[in-house]
């Protein structure tokens, strides 16, 4: 696979590597493979790696090197990566997250069902069917952007974001889905609620599994007990 | 470890800050840390502390505290009026406080933020390697949950130097003054190639002012004219501190310490280290100009600063 990429100055001590401007699984896989390789190689000059959809930000130590030296060190690593057809990621994990799809816990669930001209069960079926890919984390600590949502389930964000989206809300927006890791403002369509979820890393895969309201309440009680 | 300070009046916003929370942006965790790094690093240097020792960032003064134990301390940053037990003292100077002494930080328009440091640095349990308070992320601070300091909070300090260093004051090699008509150095970065030459020239040709839409996340600027032909928004990408984003309205926003980790507005450049510290002190309405600076020059400056303050990031 050939893929265009380029360097971009990002900050006094940071360089961006930009791949083609698309939200695309193959492009995103390259970004995370590059991040993984660099973290494994741990060159002296590397301070931090921040992958996102189609971009990788690298912070480097200006006491060790300048931008030209970083580019020289990176180019062979990227060229080699581009030659491989590797699509999997070595350290990626698969997670199953239990979600309660109940209109009382998810303010937009019934509207989303109406949009589908279907039932709440149809929403659940479509949302639990795919294996999602973690494209990137950002916005807030632990907020993972998962994709791709089934085309039939794609809805825009709310024109005016909600002031308070409850912690654990499972939401969709266009081709993405996410769990709000803490109560915060947010504009996505809320379709479910999770009691607990693992720490997700970019490149991981996720399936959602529907659970009953009773199971959800029990999991919430369990989670609370852990804090006692 | 000893309890050294009790907050009696926090003012608008007083937060515990060390140099920042690094290495977790891939998880969406921003850096935090002192908005005016220059004032922060000077305070630690004057006390003989590690560059990373935690201090209190005071916003717009109106702050009062009572010492519970003898310690050396210094207040740097904005030149707010200071008093110890009612007697006027100077900023940027190290003083000895005794148990029971009261410190009061007033307010004027010289800047926005001051830094109170004590010998050894304030102590709190780190979260992800840092005590930096990021309210938006709910991380850091005295109780680890991102809460600003409140009346009645008591801070302990690590053991520091016991020697009196009262004569210590900043030398000239890294200047501390905030000019009345600042010029902020800007390095071409991000999507600079997609901005027209007219936009690049206008950015450094016209005067900007800081607006009141500013906080620890970012500072919105107002130019006489908006930048023309702003490139379209992009797929969100990692966003470094100091980035100058330009939304469709053509008025720049500078991302500061508590910035979100991803952003989709095109970026025309990034501030130099000194420029970021100056901007952190400019009140709403203050006028300034941008000036292009080459990356190599900006890196020379940063190397000099890291070495001078013994920063080991």
């Amino acid at each position: 696979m050939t893929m265009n990429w380029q360097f971009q100055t990002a900050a006094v001590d940071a360089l961006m590597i930009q791949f083609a401007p698309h939200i695309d699984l193959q492009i995103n896989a390259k970004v995370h493979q590059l991040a993984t390789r660099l973290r494994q190689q741990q060159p002296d000059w590397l301070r931090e790696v921040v992958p996102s959809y189609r971009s990788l930000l690298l912070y480097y130590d200006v006491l060790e090197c300048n931008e030209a030296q970083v580019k020289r060190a990176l180019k062979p690593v990227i060229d080699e990566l581009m030659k491989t057809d590797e699509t999997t990621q070595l350290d990626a994990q698969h997670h199953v997250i239990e979600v309660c799809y109940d209109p009382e816990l998810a303010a937009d669930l019934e509207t989303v069902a109406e949009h589908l001209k279907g039932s709440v069960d149809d929403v659940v079926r479509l949302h639990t069917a795919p294996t999602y890919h973690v494209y990137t984390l950002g916005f807030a600590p632990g907020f993972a952007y998962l994709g791709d949502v089934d085309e039939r389930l794609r809805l825009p964000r709310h024109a005016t974001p909600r002031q308070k989206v409850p912690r654990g809300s499972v939401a969709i927006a266009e081709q993405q889905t996410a769990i709000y890791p803490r109560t915060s403002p947010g504009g996505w369509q809320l379709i479910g609620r999770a009691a607990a979820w693992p720490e997700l890393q970019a490149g991981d895969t996720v399936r959602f599994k529907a659970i009953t309201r009773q199971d959800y309440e029990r999991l919430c009680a369990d989670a609370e007990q852990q804090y006692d | 470890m000893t309890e050294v300070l009790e907050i009696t009046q926090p003012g608008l916003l007083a937060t515990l800050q060390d140099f920042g929370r690094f290495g977790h942006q891939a998880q969406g965790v921003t850096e935090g840390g002192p908005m005016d790094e220059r004032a922060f690093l000077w305070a630690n240097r004057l006390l003989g502390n590690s560059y990373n020792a935690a201090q209190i960032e005071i916003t717009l003064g109106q702050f009062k505290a009572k010492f519970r134990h003898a310690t050396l301390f210094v207040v740097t940053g904005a030149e707010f009026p200071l008093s110890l037990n009612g007697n006027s003292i100077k900023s940027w100077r190290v003083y000895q406080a005794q148990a029971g002494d009261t410190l009061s930080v007033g307010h004027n328009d010289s800047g926005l933020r001051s830094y109170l440091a004590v010998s050894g640095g304030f102590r709190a349990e780190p979260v992800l390697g840092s005590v930096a308070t990021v309210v938006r992320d709910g991380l850091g601070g005295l109780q680890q949950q991102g809460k600003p300091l409140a009346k009645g909070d008591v801070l302990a300090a690590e053991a520091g130097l016991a020697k009196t260093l009262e004569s210590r004051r900043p030398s000239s090699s890294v200047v501390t003054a905030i000019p009345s008509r600042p010029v902020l150095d800007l390095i071409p970065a991000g999507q600079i190639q997609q901005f027209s030459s007219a936009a690049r020239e206008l950015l450094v040709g016209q005067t900007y002012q800081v607006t009141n839409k500013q906080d620890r996340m970012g500072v919105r600027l107002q130019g006489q004219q908006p930048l023309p032909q702003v490139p379209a928004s992009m797929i969100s990408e990692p966003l470094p501190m100091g980035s100058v984003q330009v939304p469709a309205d053509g008025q720049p926003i500078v991302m500061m310490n508590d910035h979100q980790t991803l952003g989709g507005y095109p970026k025309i450049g990034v501030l130099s280290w000194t420029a970021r510290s100056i901007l952190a002190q400019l009140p709403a309405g203050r006028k300034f100009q941008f000036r292009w600076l080459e990356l190599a020059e900006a890196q020379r400056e940063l190397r000099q600063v890291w070495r001078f303050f013994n920063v080991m990031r």
Side-chain angles (χ1 to χ4, degrees), chain A residues 94-172:
Chain A
H94 181 68
H95 310 273
V96 176
I97 299 176
E98 296 177 322
V99 177
C100 177
Y101 298 88
D102 184 323
E104 282 179 27
L105 296 171
D108 299 315
L109 183 55
E110 284 175 332
T111 343
V112 172
E114 280 165 32
H115 164 86
L116 273 178
K117 298 186 174 59
S119 65
V120 163
D121 285 346
D122 294 327
V123 178
V124 175
R125 196 170 39 78
L126 289 175
H127 192 250
T128 52
T131 296
Y132 296 104
H133 168 85
V134 181
Y135 277 102
T136 188
L137 280 86
F139 171 67
F143 190 98
Y145 292 81
L146 312 179
D148 293 338
V149 167
D150 189 289
E151 300 226 4
R152 288 163 286 180
L153 209 50
R154 292 185 188 178
L155 274 119
R157 290 168 175 78
H158 289 290
T160 308
R162 284 193 174 86
Q163 284 295 315
K164 247 187 174 179
V165 173
R167 175 179 189 275
S169 289
V170 176
I172 52 174

Side-chain angles (χ1 to χ4, degrees), chain B:
Chain B
M1 206 174 75
T2 324
E3 291 186 346
V4 291
L5 193 80
E6 179 185 341
I7 310 288
T8 50
Q9 181 185 305
L12 182 70
L13 177 69
T15 56
L16 193 65
Q17 299 291 344
D18 59 15
F19 203 58
R21 187 169 284 110
F22 298 100
H24 305 282
Q25 287 183 70
Q27 277 75 45
V29 177
T30 197
E31 292 107 322
M35 292 280 282
D36 182 347
E37 280 185 13
R38 188 170 62 174
F40 176 94
L41 289 172
W42 263 118
N44 275 336
R45 184 183 166 92
L46 291 171
L47 290 166
N49 290 344
S50 148
Y51 77 94
N52 195 36
Q55 306 176 13
I56 299 175
E57 181 179 276
I58 298 162
T59 314
L60 298 174
Q62 312 297 358
F63 171 94
K64 288 187 178 123
K66 187 174 186 178
F67 288 96
R68 286 201 167 187
H69 195 270
T71 181
L72 295 171
F73 75 95
V74 63
V75 180
T76 63
E79 304 270 353
F80 293 154
L82 304 176
S83 66
L84 188 64
N85 300 327
N87 302 315
S88 174
I89 58 169
K90 290 187 164 125
S91 49
W92 301 88
R93 293 285 187 98
V94 174
Y95 292 92
Q96 174 76 53
Q98 303 300 335
D101 285 357
T102 56
L103 173 71
S104 172
V105 180
H107 178 243
N108 57 30
D109 63 359
S110 72
L112 301 177
R113 297 175 171 92
S114 50
Y115 293 86
L116 167 59
V118 296
S119 190
F122 292 112
R123 160 94 196 129
E125 200 56 47
V127 184
L128 299 175
S130 165
V131 304
T133 309
V134 179
V135 175
R136 199 174 63 92
D137 284 358
L139 297 176
L142 211 49
Q143 288 97 23
Q144 294 82 55
Q145 289 163 344
K147 292 207 177 75
L149 293 169
K151 182 179 176 174
D153 278 350
V154 176
L155 293 100
E158 308 281 358
L161 297 180
K163 235 170 37 187
T164 303
L165 303 168
E166 285 179 30
S167 62
R168 281 208 183 178
R169 50 189 294 195
S171 60
S172 59
S173 57
V174 180
V175 287
T176 57
I178 300 156
S180 58
R181 192 66 180 265
V183 177
L184 301 188
D185 286 326
L186 183 70
I187 298 96
Q191 287 67 39
I192 175 83
Q193 302 298 341
Q194 293 172 33
F195 283 86
S196 64
S197 56
R200 293 186 225 175
E201 282 164 26
L202 183 61
L203 186 70
V204 292
Q206 71 175 343
T207 299
Y208 277 91
Q209 62 177 335
V210 171
T211 69
N212 60 11
K213 286 179 186 155
Q214 55 156 300
D215 55 22
R216 283 186 46 90
M217 272 182 77
V219 180
R220 281 176 185 264
L221 307 177
Q222 174 85 45
Q224 287 149 317
Q225 297 173 52
L227 295 181
Q229 299 143 5
V230 175
S233 288
M234 315 163 298
I235 297 168
S236 288
E237 60 184 45
L239 187 60
M241 207 194 293
S243 291
V244 180
Q245 290 192 323
V246 187
D249 69 4
Q251 299 290 2
I253 305 172
V254 184
M255 303 318 294
M256 299 299 278
N257 299 58
D258 292 0
H259 65 94
Q260 68 269 32
T261 57
L262 296 179
Y265 293 126
K267 297 172 284 289
I268 197 166
V270 65
L271 292 189
S272 73
W273 180 81
T274 302
R276 195 153 40 78
S277 285
I278 294 173
L279 182 63
Q281 295 289 4
L282 300 186
R286 186 68 62 86
K287 291 184 166 64
F288 68 92
Q289 300 229 229
F290 282 119
R291 173 174 67 192
W292 290 113
L293 181 74
E294 279 183 32
L295 176 65
E297 279 299 317
Q299 293 198 332
R300 248 195 294 282
E301 174 196 69
L302 195 59
R303 279 186 204 111
Q304 186 201 351
V305 168
W306 274 188
R307 290 199 178 105
F308 181 76
F309 290 112
N310 215 7
V311 174
M312 289 174 292
R313 276 196 47 200

